[in-house]
Amino acid sequence: MPLSRDAALNIAKVLSEALPYIQQYVGKTIVVKYGGNAMIDEELKNAFARDIVMMKLVGINPIVVHGGGPQIGDLLAKLNIESKFVGGMRVTDAATMDVVEMVLGGQVNKDIVNLINHNGGRAMGLTGKDARLIVAKKLKATHKTPEMQAPEIIDIGHVGEVKHINVDVLNLLVASDFIPVIAPIGVDEQGQSYNINADLVAGKVAEALKCEKLILLTNIAGLLDKQGRVMTGLSLADVDALIEDGTITGGMLPKIGCALDAVRNGVKRAHIIDGRVAHATLLEMFTNEGVGTLITNEHL
């Protein structure tokens, strides 16, 4: 059945609105952190894969960094290994690290690669151990209460932070028309593996490549003000003020931290968007309104 005139005009309007954005970003590299509901819901999974393929087909170079915390937790439970967290970070002993590598580097990474390829892309899965993509160091976690004179250093095992990103392997894959899909597992100078927060890895990859955009998919609508409204365009100073006055707190702070660091270190724009919305990535890339919060050091 043919489209109605109004439906056809609406499609034409959407495509026309996308044109200047495609022209602006063609040839540019975009890092997308993929996680939350978008990794679980089947409709959202397929929408995300199609978004990534679409970006590549119009000449943009997406790089995907993914999480997988719920999947790790599920397998640990099946193996009767208790999940422990300190300050929101998973305590990762040797047995847990084996599971992390199995789930992130195996199951989750290959599922995403397969999904993108099934939708017409050319995805290549990597962990930070491949070509020493992510050189890591052990993360020193601290804990402090008002009664303590100095912070307590807590050993949370194989949890790391990024020391260096080997951009050569990513540039090679992008130049060869592949879509890199990265599991956030790093390796130190001694060959020891580390579990690293996926938001942090995405931010550091974007910084190392001086990307045009960093997009972080979340399970909320974006950064909310004290009245629960989504805040859209924010400068670095705006975000610092929102942290200072307590508007941004708790679990959102680490995500905001990696977005701020990325923008301060050469990434033009960081977006925190609602991954519960189908095609959220395309909506953020190619429409005037978007579906989340923009953070930038550019004049708004």
Side-chain angles (χ1 to χ4, degrees):
M1 184 176 179
L3 289 171
S4 69
R5 182 175 181 274
D6 286 346
L9 285 172
N10 186 54
I11 291 172
K13 178 180 178 294
V14 170
L15 292 173
S16 178
E17 185 178 314
L19 179 59
Y21 294 101
I22 294 171
Q23 292 171 323
Q24 180 179 353
Y25 297 122
V26 67
K28 306 292 188 182
T29 298
I30 310 293
V31 174
V32 183
K33 187 269 179 166
Y34 178 45
N37 281 19
M39 283 184 70
I40 299 169
D41 181 276
E42 287 301 319
E43 180 184 348
L44 294 176
K45 284 165 64 175
N46 279 290
F48 174 79
R50 291 172 68 85
D51 288 0
I52 295 299
V53 173
M54 175 74 172
M55 288 167 65
K56 190 68 174 177
L57 286 176
V58 299
I60 299 166
N61 299 315
I63 294 175
V64 178
V65 178
H66 65 82
Q71 294 90 333
I72 293 168
D74 288 346
L75 184 53
L76 287 171
K78 289 176 183 176
L79 296 172
N80 293 318
I81 300 174
E82 183 182 359
S83 290
K84 298 178 182 177
F85 293 88
V86 172
M89 293 175 289
R90 186 185 299 277
V91 177
T92 308
D93 59 14
T96 302
M97 190 65 222
D98 288 342
V99 172
V100 168
E101 291 202 65
M102 195 186 320
V103 173
L104 292 184
Q107 174 199 340
V108 174
N109 188 269
K110 301 315 171 192
D111 283 350
I112 298 167
V113 166
N114 184 54
L115 196 61
I116 292 172
N117 291 345
H118 180 70
N119 281 277
R122 298 179 70 222
M124 178 75 76
L126 302 158
T127 75
K129 298 175 84 168
D130 294 305
R132 297 183 63 80
L133 171 61
I134 304 170
V135 178
K137 60 181 179 180
K138 185 179 178 68
L139 178 67
K140 292 182 179 178
T142 59
H143 170 70
K144 190 176 188 304
T145 63
E147 299 78 27
M148 299 168 65
Q149 291 186 345
E152 175 189 9
I153 297 175
I154 303 171
D155 187 351
I156 52 175
H158 297 257
V159 177
E161 55 185 324
V162 176
K163 184 176 178 182
H164 174 72
I165 300 291
N166 177 9
V167 296
D168 292 343
V169 64
L170 295 176
N171 287 331
L172 179 63
L173 289 172
V174 168
S176 301
D177 216 27
F178 286 102
I179 300 168
V181 178
I182 304 169
I185 298 166
V187 63
D188 69 10
E189 307 291 354
Q190 289 71 46
Q192 188 72 255
S193 299
Y194 289 95
N195 181 18
I196 309 177
N197 177 276
D199 291 324
L200 179 60
V201 170
K204 292 303 181 184
V205 168
E207 283 180 36
L209 291 168
K210 296 293 187 282
C211 285
E212 194 75 13
K213 281 181 183 281
L214 167 66
I215 297 176
L216 304 174
L217 288 168
T218 68
N219 282 341
I220 60 171
L223 280 181
L224 307 179
D225 65 17
K226 290 184 176 178
Q227 286 71 47
R229 297 169 301 199
V230 177
M231 296 177 284
T232 52
L234 298 174
S235 68
L236 295 176
D238 291 335
V239 178
D240 286 337
L242 290 165
I243 294 171
E244 184 68 26
D245 74 11
T247 301
I248 302 171
T249 59
M252 186 54 68
L253 283 171
K255 196 175 294 288
I256 289 297
C258 83
L260 287 175
D261 285 347
V263 172
R264 286 190 176 111
N265 290 294
V267 177
K268 290 188 178 178
R269 295 185 166 206
H271 302 257
I272 296 173
I273 69 172
D274 193 345
R276 302 168 301 176
V277 175
H279 300 293
T281 310
L282 281 191
L283 289 168
E284 190 58 55
M285 288 289 300
F286 299 142
T287 67
N288 294 330
E289 291 79 15
V291 286
T293 300
L294 160 68
I295 300 169
T296 181
N297 59 9
E298 299 172 323
H299 180 70
L300 294 170

